[in-house]
Amino acid sequence: NTTGALAYAYAITTAWRAGGSYGTSFTAPSFNQLYFPGFGSPNLLPEEGRHAELFGQWTAEPHKVRLTAYRHRYDLFISSGPQPTNVPKVEIDGVTLSWDARFDDLWLTASYDHTDPRNASVGSADFGKLLQRRAPQALKANADWQLGPYKLGAAWQAYSHRFDDSANSTRLAGYGVLDLSADWAMTRDWSLGVRLNNVGGRVYETAFGYNQPGREGFVTLRWSMR
Protein backbone atom coordinates (compact mmCIF):
# COMPACT_ATOMS: atom_id res chain seq x y z
CA ASN A 1 0.00 0.00 0.00
CA THR A 2 1.24 3.48 -0.84
CA THR A 3 1.00 6.38 1.61
CA GLY A 4 2.32 9.92 1.48
CA ALA A 5 2.68 13.19 3.36
CA LEU A 6 3.23 16.86 2.55
CA ALA A 7 4.27 19.51 5.09
CA TYR A 8 5.18 23.18 4.94
CA ALA A 9 6.19 25.80 7.51
CA TYR A 10 6.87 29.53 7.16
CA ALA A 11 8.81 31.88 9.44
CA ILE A 12 6.55 34.94 9.62
CA THR A 13 9.02 36.79 11.85
CA THR A 14 12.02 35.75 13.91
CA ALA A 15 9.59 34.88 16.73
CA TRP A 16 6.52 33.58 14.87
CA ARG A 17 6.26 30.47 12.71
CA ALA A 18 3.24 28.72 11.19
CA GLY A 19 2.72 25.62 9.14
CA GLY A 20 0.65 22.60 8.32
CA SER A 21 0.75 19.09 6.98
CA TYR A 22 -1.44 16.48 5.33
CA GLY A 23 -0.81 12.76 4.99
CA THR A 24 -2.32 9.33 4.62
CA SER A 25 -1.76 6.14 6.60
CA PHE A 26 -2.24 2.39 6.26
CA THR A 27 -2.17 0.00 9.22
CA ALA A 28 -2.37 -3.75 8.83
CA PRO A 29 -3.69 -5.68 11.86
CA SER A 30 -0.98 -7.34 13.95
CA PHE A 31 -0.61 -11.08 14.35
CA ASN A 32 -2.04 -10.90 17.90
CA GLN A 33 -5.02 -8.81 16.75
CA LEU A 34 -5.76 -11.49 14.18
CA TYR A 35 -4.93 -14.80 15.84
CA PHE A 36 -4.10 -14.59 19.56
CA PRO A 37 -6.34 -17.19 21.33
CA GLY A 38 -9.33 -15.59 23.03
CA PHE A 39 -8.25 -12.14 21.86
CA GLY A 40 -7.83 -11.94 18.08
CA SER A 41 -10.32 -11.48 15.25
CA PRO A 42 -9.14 -13.36 12.12
CA ASN A 43 -11.45 -11.42 9.79
CA LEU A 44 -9.97 -8.03 10.75
CA LEU A 45 -9.19 -5.76 7.77
CA PRO A 46 -6.46 -3.10 7.38
CA GLU A 47 -7.14 0.46 8.56
CA GLU A 48 -6.64 3.54 6.38
CA GLY A 49 -6.46 7.16 7.48
CA ARG A 50 -6.18 10.77 6.36
CA HIS A 51 -4.50 13.28 8.65
CA ALA A 52 -4.27 17.08 8.65
CA GLU A 53 -2.50 19.45 11.04
CA LEU A 54 -2.06 23.22 11.45
CA PHE A 55 0.24 24.88 13.96
CA GLY A 56 1.44 28.24 15.16
CA GLN A 57 4.63 28.69 17.16
CA TRP A 58 6.13 31.57 19.14
CA THR A 59 9.77 31.54 20.23
CA ALA A 60 11.49 34.08 22.45
CA GLU A 61 14.44 32.72 24.37
CA PRO A 62 14.20 30.91 26.68
CA HIS A 63 10.53 30.19 25.86
CA LYS A 64 8.80 28.30 23.06
CA VAL A 65 5.01 28.03 22.83
CA ARG A 66 3.24 25.95 20.19
CA LEU A 67 -0.47 25.51 19.43
CA THR A 68 -1.43 22.63 17.14
CA ALA A 69 -4.84 21.65 15.76
CA TYR A 70 -5.23 18.23 14.20
CA ARG A 71 -7.90 16.30 12.33
CA HIS A 72 -7.82 12.54 11.67
CA ARG A 73 -10.28 10.55 9.55
CA TYR A 74 -10.21 6.75 9.47
CA ASP A 75 -11.87 4.05 7.40
CA LEU A 76 -12.14 0.57 8.96
CA PHE A 77 -10.55 1.81 12.19
CA ILE A 78 -9.17 -1.07 14.30
CA SER A 79 -10.66 -0.85 17.80
CA SER A 80 -8.76 -1.43 21.05
CA GLY A 81 -9.02 -4.38 23.42
CA PRO A 82 -9.96 -8.04 22.94
CA GLN A 83 -11.81 -9.19 19.82
CA PRO A 84 -11.02 -5.95 17.94
CA THR A 85 -13.38 -4.92 15.16
CA ASN A 86 -13.26 -2.58 12.17
CA VAL A 87 -15.20 0.61 12.92
CA PRO A 88 -16.37 1.83 9.47
CA LYS A 89 -15.79 5.54 10.13
CA VAL A 90 -13.90 7.33 12.90
CA GLU A 91 -13.23 11.05 13.42
CA ILE A 92 -10.61 12.39 15.83
CA ASP A 93 -10.26 16.17 16.28
CA GLY A 94 -8.13 17.92 18.84
CA VAL A 95 -5.76 20.68 19.90
CA THR A 96 -2.45 20.58 21.74
CA LEU A 97 -0.88 23.52 23.58
CA SER A 98 2.74 23.06 24.63
CA TRP A 99 5.42 25.17 26.32
CA ASP A 100 9.07 24.55 27.02
CA ALA A 101 11.87 26.69 28.37
CA ARG A 102 15.47 26.44 29.53
CA PHE A 103 16.89 28.58 32.32
CA ASP A 104 20.61 27.82 32.53
CA ASP A 105 20.62 24.28 33.99
CA LEU A 106 16.85 24.00 34.43
CA TRP A 107 14.58 22.57 31.69
CA LEU A 108 10.81 22.92 31.97
CA THR A 109 8.08 21.56 29.70
CA ALA A 110 4.30 21.46 29.92
CA SER A 111 1.48 20.48 27.57
CA TYR A 112 -2.29 20.25 27.46
CA ASP A 113 -4.13 18.06 24.98
CA HIS A 114 -7.84 18.05 24.21
CA THR A 115 -9.05 15.36 21.84
CA ASP A 116 -12.48 14.29 20.65
CA PRO A 117 -12.25 10.69 19.33
CA ARG A 118 -15.67 9.61 18.00
CA ASN A 119 -17.35 6.76 16.21
CA ALA A 120 -18.66 8.47 13.04
CA SER A 121 -20.35 5.42 11.49
CA VAL A 122 -23.86 6.62 10.63
CA GLY A 123 -26.42 3.95 11.46
CA SER A 124 -24.19 2.24 14.03
CA ALA A 125 -25.51 1.68 17.56
CA ASP A 126 -22.35 3.42 18.82
CA PHE A 127 -22.57 6.43 16.50
CA GLY A 128 -21.27 9.53 18.26
CA LYS A 129 -19.75 7.59 21.17
CA LEU A 130 -16.16 8.09 22.35
CA LEU A 131 -13.61 5.53 21.22
CA GLN A 132 -12.47 2.92 23.72
CA ARG A 133 -9.68 3.64 26.20
CA ARG A 134 -8.98 7.19 25.02
CA ALA A 135 -8.98 10.05 27.53
CA PRO A 136 -10.33 13.33 26.08
CA GLN A 137 -8.09 15.50 28.31
CA ALA A 138 -4.40 15.15 29.17
CA LEU A 139 -2.08 17.47 31.10
CA LYS A 140 1.67 16.87 31.45
CA ALA A 141 4.56 18.72 33.08
CA ASN A 142 8.27 17.91 33.38
CA ALA A 143 11.25 19.49 35.10
CA ASP A 144 14.92 18.50 34.84
CA TRP A 145 17.73 20.19 36.76
CA GLN A 146 21.40 19.56 35.96
CA LEU A 147 23.81 20.16 38.83
CA GLY A 148 27.26 19.27 37.55
CA PRO A 149 27.39 15.46 37.56
CA TYR A 150 23.92 15.25 39.11
CA LYS A 151 20.55 15.42 37.37
CA LEU A 152 17.20 15.67 39.16
CA GLY A 153 13.89 15.14 37.41
CA ALA A 154 10.17 15.27 38.07
CA ALA A 155 7.35 14.27 35.70
CA TRP A 156 3.64 14.72 36.39
CA GLN A 157 0.82 13.61 34.12
CA ALA A 158 -2.94 13.66 34.55
CA TYR A 159 -5.71 12.21 32.38
CA SER A 160 -9.47 12.61 32.42
CA HIS A 161 -11.92 9.70 32.40
CA ARG A 162 -12.15 7.20 29.55
CA PHE A 163 -14.47 4.35 28.57
CA ASP A 164 -13.43 0.71 28.26
CA ASP A 165 -16.16 -0.24 25.78
CA SER A 166 -17.55 1.12 22.52
CA ALA A 167 -21.01 1.67 24.07
CA ASN A 168 -19.47 3.98 26.72
CA SER A 169 -21.12 2.05 29.55
CA THR A 170 -17.93 1.13 31.46
CA ARG A 171 -16.31 4.30 32.70
CA LEU A 172 -12.71 4.40 33.97
CA ALA A 173 -11.90 7.28 36.31
CA GLY A 174 -9.29 9.89 35.53
CA TYR A 175 -5.99 9.92 37.40
CA GLY A 176 -2.75 11.78 37.98
CA VAL A 177 0.70 10.40 38.81
CA LEU A 178 4.04 11.92 39.79
CA ASP A 179 7.42 10.33 39.01
CA LEU A 180 10.76 11.44 40.48
CA SER A 181 14.30 10.61 39.37
CA ALA A 182 17.93 11.34 40.21
CA ASP A 183 21.09 10.45 38.26
CA TRP A 184 24.76 10.72 39.17
CA ALA A 185 27.49 10.59 36.50
CA MET A 186 30.17 8.97 38.64
CA THR A 187 32.74 8.82 35.83
CA ARG A 188 32.78 9.39 32.09
CA ASP A 189 31.43 5.86 31.48
CA TRP A 190 29.55 4.98 34.68
CA SER A 191 26.34 6.45 36.08
CA LEU A 192 23.98 5.60 38.92
CA GLY A 193 20.26 6.34 38.75
CA VAL A 194 17.38 6.23 41.22
CA ARG A 195 13.74 6.44 40.15
CA LEU A 196 10.46 6.50 42.06
CA ASN A 197 7.31 6.06 39.95
CA ASN A 198 3.76 6.86 41.05
CA VAL A 199 4.99 8.56 44.21
CA GLY A 200 1.48 8.93 45.65
CA GLY A 201 0.65 5.25 45.13
CA ARG A 202 -2.33 6.13 42.93
CA VAL A 203 -4.61 3.17 42.11
CA TYR A 204 -5.93 3.47 38.56
CA GLU A 205 -6.84 1.53 35.42
CA THR A 206 -6.37 2.23 31.72
CA ALA A 207 -8.15 -1.05 30.86
CA PHE A 208 -11.02 -2.40 32.96
CA GLY A 209 -9.89 -5.04 35.46
CA TYR A 210 -6.16 -4.37 35.04
CA ASN A 211 -4.67 -2.13 37.72
CA GLN A 212 -1.60 -0.19 36.70
CA PRO A 213 1.54 -0.52 38.88
CA GLY A 214 1.45 1.22 42.25
CA ARG A 215 4.45 2.91 43.82
CA GLU A 216 7.67 1.54 42.28
CA GLY A 217 11.33 2.13 43.03
CA PHE A 218 14.30 1.43 40.74
CA VAL A 219 18.07 1.66 41.18
CA THR A 220 20.04 1.47 37.92
CA LEU A 221 23.79 1.21 37.33
CA ARG A 222 24.79 2.04 33.74
CA TRP A 223 28.01 1.59 31.81
CA SER A 224 28.35 3.37 28.45
CA MET A 225 31.77 3.10 26.83
CA ARG A 226 32.73 6.42 25.24
Side-chain angles (χ1 to χ4, degrees), residues 5 26 104 107 140 191 220 223 225:
F26 176 90
D104 295 326
W107 293 267
K140 301 176 184 179
S191 64
T220 305
W223 176 64
M225 185 173 63

Side-chain angles (χ1 to χ4, degrees), residues 83-192:
Q83 283 80 53
T85 61
N86 287 114
V87 182
K89 298 287 183 181
V90 159
E91 297 180 354
I92 302 177
D93 298 318
V95 293
T96 300
L97 177 64
S98 63
W99 166 79
D100 63 78
R102 178 175 179 176
F103 304 93
D104 295 326
D105 297 326
L106 177 65
W107 293 267
L108 300 175
T109 64
S111 66
Y112 168 74
D113 190 73
H114 169 79
T115 184
D116 187 37
R118 300 277 176 178
N119 184 329
S121 307
V122 177
S124 166
D126 299 325
F127 174 72
K129 300 292 181 63
L130 290 172
L131 299 181
Q132 296 166 258
R133 301 178 180 177
R134 289 174 178 254
Q137 318 283 342
L139 185 61
K140 301 176 184 179
N142 293 271
D144 290 292
W145 190 16
Q146 188 76 46
L147 299 168
Y150 304 100
K151 183 178 180 180
L152 304 177
W156 177 75
Q157 53 185 336
Y159 296 89
S160 63
H161 73 280
R162 68 191 73 196
F163 293 99
D164 193 65
D165 61 330
S166 60
N168 291 180
S169 59
T170 304
R171 180 186 174 105
L172 304 177
Y175 63 91
V177 293
L178 173 67
D179 302 331
L180 300 176
S181 64
D183 291 279
W184 173 33
M186 299 181 292
T187 68
R188 186 183 66 174
D189 300 331
W190 289 91
S191 64
L192 180 67

Side-chain angles (χ1 to χ4, degrees), residues 8 39 47 95 119:
Y8 179 77
F39 179 90
E47 164 192 296
V95 293
N119 184 329

Side-chain angles (χ1 to χ4, degrees), residues 16-20 53-58 64-70 94-99 112-114:
W16 288 94
R17 189 166 179 258
E53 176 183 298
L54 293 174
F55 77 88
Q57 180 176 294
W58 174 75
K64 182 170 72 174
V65 179
R66 183 183 177 106
L67 179 64
T68 304
Y70 52 88
V95 293
T96 300
L97 177 64
S98 63
W99 166 79
Y112 168 74
D113 190 73
H114 169 79

Side-chain angles (χ1 to χ4, degrees), residues 29-62:
S30 69
F31 183 87
N32 284 345
Q33 288 174 324
L34 288 169
Y35 305 119
F36 192 87
F39 179 90
S41 300
N43 296 321
L44 209 58
L45 298 173
E47 164 192 296
E48 296 187 28
R50 302 171 303 283
H51 316 279
E53 176 183 298
L54 293 174
F55 77 88
Q57 180 176 294
W58 174 75
T59 304
E61 293 297 338

